[in-house]
C-alpha cells in the first residue's frame, strides 16, 4: 500500500474470527484481514490467525489491555491505514466492538468502521453438544471485572426463573461459577442437561454432557476457553446429543 492510498483510505474493521479454527471463519473475516495492513489482536488470537497476517504489521496486547488495543487501532486507522482489530468468536459478544464504537463516539472521532460478525462460542459449543439453543436462551458472562457479581447472580436467577437455556461464558472464576450453578440448581430439576465444551474446534477439545446433579465432577476441566450450556425444563439428551425442542412434536405428528 503506498502513502497516497493510505491517506485516502483509513478504515477500521472489527473482525470476529470464530472459535479458533480456520475452518469456522467467515469469508468476510478472511477478506477484511487480507485487506488490512495493520492487525491488532490479543496475543493468543494473533497466534490463531498467523496464516493470514504474514507481511503485515501485527500489534499484540495481553488480556486486560482492551483499551490499549482500541486506542492503537483507532490511531492507526486515522493515520490512513486499513486496520483489522480482531476478536475471537463474534466481536460484539464480550469482544472489542462495543468498547471501540463507544470510544469513537465519546471522543467524537470521524472514522470508517465496519463490524465483521463471527461464529460466537455459544453457537460453536452448542453445535458440538447437539442443538441446545433451539428455543429462547440467555448468554451470561461470569466475568466480574467490569460488572458486579451481585448483578451477574441476579441475572442468573432471572434467566433461571424465566426458563431460558443459559449459556455461561468466562467460567474461570470458580467461586462465582459455583454460586451461579447453585442458583440455577435450586430452581431447576436435578436431571437438567448441562453441556461443558472446552476449546471448541481447537486442539485438545473436550465436550461433556452431564446434568445439574453431577456437573461438579467436571469442575476441574473448566478453564478460560470453556463454555457451559445449561438446558431448560424441555431440554433432553438423545443419541448423545443435547436437544431443546422448539415444540414441533407437541403440535405435529412425526
Ligand atoms: N467474543 C467471543 C467471546 C469472548 S469472551 C465469542 O463471541 O465467542 C471469552 C469466553 O468465550 C471464554 O471464557 C469462553 O467462555 C468462550 N470461548 C471462546 N472461545 C471458545 C472455544 N473455542 N470453546 C469454548 N469456549 C470458548
Amino acid at each position: 500500500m503506498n502513502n497516497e492510498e493510505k491517506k485516502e483510505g483509513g478504515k477500521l474493521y472489527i473482525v470476529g474470527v470464530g472459535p479458533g479454527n480456520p475452518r469456522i471463519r467467515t469469508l468476510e473475516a478472511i477478506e477484511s484481514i487480507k485487506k488490512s495492513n495493520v492487525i491488532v489482536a490479543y496475543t493468543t488470537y494473533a497466534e490463531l490467525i498467523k496464516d493470514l497476517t504474514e507481511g503485515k504489521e501485527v500489534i499484540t496486547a495481553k488480556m486486560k489491555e482492551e483499551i490499549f488495543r482500541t486506542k492503537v487501532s483507532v490511531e492507526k486507522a486515522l493515520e490512513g491505514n486499513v486496520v483489522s482489530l480482531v476478536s475471537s468468536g463474534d466481536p460484539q459478544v464480550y469482544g472489542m466492538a462495543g468498547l471501540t464504537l463507544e470510544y469513537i463516539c465519546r471522543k467524537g472521532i470521524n472514522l470508517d468502521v465496519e463490524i465483521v460478525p463471527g461464529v460466537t462460542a455459544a453457537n460453536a459449543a452448542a453445535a458440538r453438544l447437539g442443538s441446545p439453543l433451539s428455543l429462547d436462551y440467555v448468554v451470561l458472562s461470569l466475568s466480574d471485572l467490569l460488572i458486579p457479581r451481585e448483578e451477574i447472580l441476579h441475572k442468573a436467577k432471572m434467566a433461571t426463573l424465566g426458563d431460558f437455556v443459559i449459556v455461561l461464558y468466562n467460567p474461570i472464576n470458580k467461586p462465582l461459577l459455583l454460586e451461579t450453578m447453585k442458583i440455577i440448581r435450586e430452581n431447576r430439576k436435578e436431571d437438567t442437561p448441562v453441556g461443558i465444551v472446552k476449546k471448541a474446534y481447537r486442539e485438545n477439545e473436550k465436550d461433556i454432557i452431564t446434568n445439574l446433579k453431577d456437573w461438579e465432577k467436571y469442575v476441574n476441566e473448566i478453564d478460560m476457553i470453556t463454555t457451559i450450556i445449561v438446558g431448560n425444563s424441555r431440554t433432553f439428551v438423545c443419541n448423545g446429543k443435547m436437544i431443546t425442542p422448539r415444540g414441533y412434536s407437541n403440535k405435529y405428528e412425526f
Side-chain angles (χ1 to χ4, degrees):
M1 185 177 285
N2 64 40
N3 280 340
E4 204 69 310
E5 275 172 357
K6 276 191 184 178
K7 272 191 202 105
E8 282 170 16
K11 172 149 186 167
L12 175 58
Y13 293 101
I14 308 179
V15 186
V17 292
N21 180 323
R23 298 178 65 89
I24 321 278
R25 290 175 188 154
T26 66
L27 291 175
E28 192 70 21
I30 296 168
E31 282 301 305
S32 313
I33 293 172
K34 281 190 177 162
K35 275 188 264 178
S36 303
N37 63 312
V38 178
I39 310 296
V40 181
Y42 164 52
T43 318
T44 312
Y45 297 126
E47 212 40 52
L48 290 174
I49 56 162
K50 233 177 167 168
D51 57 305
L52 298 175
T53 59
E54 221 190 287
K56 299 180 189 292
E57 182 183 356
V58 180
I59 301 170
T60 57
K62 289 188 289 237
M63 204 87 133
K64 298 187 186 160
E65 289 180 357
E66 286 89 356
I67 296 178
F68 165 77
R69 268 179 270 155
T70 287
K71 281 186 177 166
V72 77
S73 303
V74 170
E75 263 166 37
K76 286 280 180 184
L78 287 174
E79 282 169 15
N81 295 289
V82 179
V83 180
S84 273
L85 170 57
V86 172
S87 276
S88 77
D90 183 281
Q92 301 164 76
V93 184
Y94 315 121
M96 296 300 298
L99 164 63
T100 306
L101 289 179
E102 184 187 354
Y103 177 82
I104 290 168
C105 162
R106 290 192 193 278
K107 289 276 186 186
I109 292 167
N110 181 15
L111 181 65
D112 182 5
V113 186
E114 187 174 330
I115 311 295
V116 182
V119 174
T120 187
N123 294 116
R128 289 310 213 195
L129 296 167
S131 191
L133 305 184
S134 294
L135 197 59
D136 314 307
Y137 62 95
V138 158
V139 173
L140 187 64
S141 168
L142 297 186
S143 169
D144 60 355
L145 291 174
L146 301 169
I147 301 291
R149 53 191 289 123
E150 298 70 41
E151 186 177 330
I152 296 170
L153 293 170
H154 176 69
K155 286 177 180 167
K157 181 153 190 188
M158 293 300 118
T160 309
L161 296 178
D163 201 29
F164 290 96
V165 171
I166 302 173
V167 183
L168 299 174
Y169 278 65
N170 296 308
I172 190 64
N173 179 339
K174 287 279 150 67
L176 188 51
L177 171 64
L178 290 170
E179 227 174 306
T180 303
M181 291 300 277
K182 185 167 164 264
I183 289 173
I184 299 175
R185 197 172 160 180
E186 281 166 2
N187 296 284
R188 272 188 197 176
K189 286 185 299 187
E190 296 265 275
D191 63 351
T192 302
V194 173
I196 299 171
V197 179
K198 184 174 175 177
K199 299 192 173 71
Y201 295 92
R202 293 194 206 176
E203 236 177 275
N204 301 320
E205 174 173 353
K206 199 157 187 179
D207 307 325
I208 297 160
I209 294 182
T210 172
N211 57 42
L212 276 177
K213 186 163 137 276
D214 295 328
W215 80 274
E216 245 185 277
K217 286 183 195 160
Y218 305 96
V219 78
N220 290 329
E221 293 286 354
I222 296 167
D223 65 4
M224 61 184 295
I225 314 175
T226 302
T227 297
I228 301 173
I229 302 184
V230 183
N232 73 356
S233 64
R234 301 168 198 239
T235 309
F236 62 96
V237 179
C238 181
N239 296 326
K241 302 279 189 214
M242 197 170 157
I243 304 164
T244 305
R246 199 175 160 205
Y248 290 101
S249 62
N250 299 335
K251 195 161 176 192
Y252 304 100
E253 283 286 333
F254 272 6

